[in-house]
Amino acid sequence: MPIDATQPYEPNNIFAKILRGEIPNKTVYEDEFALAFHDINPQAPHHILVIPKGAYVSWDDFSARAPDAEIAGFIRAVGHVAREAGLVAPGYRLLANVGQHGGQEVPHLHVHLFAGQPLGPMLAR
Ligand code: 5GP
């Protein structure tokens, strides 16, 4: 069920639990601002989720409320993860679902990084 992205942050969401170490994850990269880990249900040969360490519901919440240092740190982490995985030359796709129409299911901002094959059209028609 997609979430309502206008709701306040829910501290027991699954990615908050991953950040607190209460649920295991396959970590790809971690720094002060971000954690990157493999999606549990990969939809491409590479399917990595990058999440900010701060408590933000969605891209909307993050872009409105996060301090500049957190935004810069998170964006740089996404780029770093793709670069370190050797994905710049073959190419990759980033996706952030927001709310109901975006199909967002986990109410903690995450950027999907897909790669490893031609990814087809942007949206299913
Ligand atoms: P959304 O639809 O919110 O953009 O994407 C949520 C993503 O989180 C999905 O691709 C789903 O497979 C992934 N996911 C959900 N629960 C877990 C989990 O416990 N661990 C990991 N690694 N990924 C999860």
Side-chain angles (χ1 to χ4, degrees), residues 91-110:
Y92 62 92
R93 180 171 293 162
L94 301 177
L95 176 72
N97 293 318
V98 180
Q100 301 272 327
H101 284 188
Q104 182 182 2
E105 299 212 328
V106 178
H108 181 113
L109 170 61
H110 46 287

Side-chain angles (χ1 to χ4, degrees), residues 1-3 14-15 18 23-26 37-43 47 49 95-99 102-108 110-112 114:
M1 274 285 284
I3 63 133
I14 198 106
F15 292 171
I18 284 176
I23 290 180
N25 74 92
K26 291 188 181 166
F37 52 96
H38 291 286
D39 195 290
I40 204 166
N41 181 26
Q43 297 187 40
H47 185 174
L49 299 172
L95 176 72
N97 293 318
V98 180
Q104 182 182 2
E105 299 212 328
V106 178
H108 181 113
H110 46 287
V111 169
H112 297 259
F114 300 107

